[in-house]
Amino acid sequence: MTPLLEQPYFPPLLRGHAVLDPAGAGAAAHDAVRSGSAGAGDLFWLDDVETMEVALVLEPEVSARKARQMGPLAMVALADGLGTLLPPKVAIQFRWPHNVLLNGGDAGTVTLSIADHDADGRALDALASAPAPSPANGARVPAPADGVPAPAWLIITTRLALSFGADAPEPGERGHVTCLSEEGGEALNRTQVIEAYAAHLLNAITHWQDDGFRALHDRWLFRAVNASAPSELRASSGDVVEGLAKGLDDEANLLLASDDGQVKLLRYEDFV
């Protein structure tokens, strides 16, 4: 019988919501924002012992493209949280745009869902292409500092495999997939991991608000699996590219250097 675990404790700025539905925390967060029952700071977590799934709702004040910085930010926060719990020898790495690796094996993901409309329900594409009304003709559409209307909401959904169930494939049949309990985290439980991640995620968001994306970007690049050796990336179209990660731009697109030294920009939307 699985022992009962205490519910996670969250910092005061976050409001935790346990999710029992196997559809997951991300699905619960989407349902809540679309019904208007959730807003910035609501954090949904899956009440499960084998998988950590956490979905945080934010209300960005930047454009949808710049809000994609929350993806690498959350990956850094997860690595920082796990770093406080795991032995130092465990390698925590990232594969752009959303995979988290433990000792080279795929163990988790960080994915984003961004509203296609602003807080007043107006389509972002239409607002971005239309001239802003002058004060004489009506109220100016609120826009963030980069001049592009902000999406109504953004959801960061983070998943991490904590352990494999009894019906999971044998280790030799799992390919490059792993879980926390097989990489030094056998003594850890869901509550510990969620609490560590939530605290570091809130800290990273505060850091981002105060100091911008660059410092967090450098910490993301330090853990990129292809920062020191070329590796392959597969686009959603099935195309495969290989090279060295040289960094991210302000929209979380990847700068990739090929063998001939040419650096090209890989668009985030082509790999999710």
Side-chain angles (χ1 to χ4, degrees):
M1 180 177 178
T2 302
L4 293 177
L5 293 176
E6 291 185 1
Q7 293 201 355
Y9 168 82
F10 297 106
L13 293 178
L14 301 179
R15 298 176 296 278
H17 306 276
V19 176
L20 298 176
D21 190 332
H30 280 85
D31 290 344
V33 295
R34 287 167 178 155
S35 69
S37 61
D42 283 304
L43 185 148
F44 297 80
W45 59 276
L46 182 63
D47 191 355
D48 186 78
V49 296
E50 294 180 355
T51 302
M52 183 204 81
E53 183 175 329
V54 171
L56 175 64
V57 180
L58 299 175
E59 295 173 359
E61 296 181 356
V62 296
S63 67
R65 288 184 174 273
K66 285 199 172 180
R68 297 190 311 209
Q69 295 175 8
M70 292 298 101
L73 177 151
M75 295 168 84
V76 169
L78 180 60
D80 287 348
L82 291 176
T84 66
L85 301 172
L86 291 171
K89 66 179 181 180
V90 178
I92 307 169
Q93 294 176 291
F94 309 138
R95 182 188 299 113
W96 181 85
H98 53 235
N99 291 89
V100 178
L101 286 67
L102 297 178
N103 290 332
D106 283 295
T109 57
V110 173
T111 56
L112 301 179
S113 180
I114 304 175
D116 60 3
H117 57 276
D118 73 353
D120 294 320
R122 297 169 293 198
L124 294 180
D125 288 346
L127 290 174
S129 60
S134 65
N137 295 328
R140 184 173 297 276
V141 175
D146 57 9
V148 181
W153 48 261
L154 175 149
I155 298 171
I156 307 170
T157 301
T158 304
R159 290 177 59 89
L160 183 71
L162 302 178
S163 61
F164 293 127
D167 57 348
E170 293 299 318
E173 301 174 354
R174 295 174 190 158
H176 296 290
V177 177
T178 191
C179 65
L180 192 67
S181 64
E182 295 195 353
E183 306 298 342
E186 60 276 359
L188 300 175
N189 62 51
R190 171 211 68 206
T191 297
Q192 293 171 299
V193 177
I194 290 177
E195 288 182 345
Y197 171 54
H200 282 85
L201 181 57
L202 186 59
N203 182 65
I205 292 172
T206 301
H207 188 188
W208 176 84
Q209 290 173 327
D210 292 342
D211 302 322
F213 181 51
R214 192 48 40 186
L216 288 164
H217 161 275
D218 293 344
R219 291 166 61 194
W220 181 92
L221 185 61
F222 173 76
R223 293 186 183 273
V225 70
N226 57 343
S228 57
S231 67
E232 293 183 346
L233 297 171
R234 185 177 298 274
S236 52
S237 65
D239 293 339
V240 176
V241 294
E242 184 176 2
L244 283 171
K246 307 303 285 186
L248 304 171
D249 70 5
D250 284 345
E251 297 179 357
N253 301 308
L254 180 69
L255 298 169
L256 191 75
S258 56
D259 290 342
D260 60 6
Q262 296 293 316
V263 177
K264 58 184 175 181
L265 185 72
L266 302 186
R267 299 192 310 166
Y268 176 91
E269 56 266 33
D270 292 336
F271 286 80
V272 295

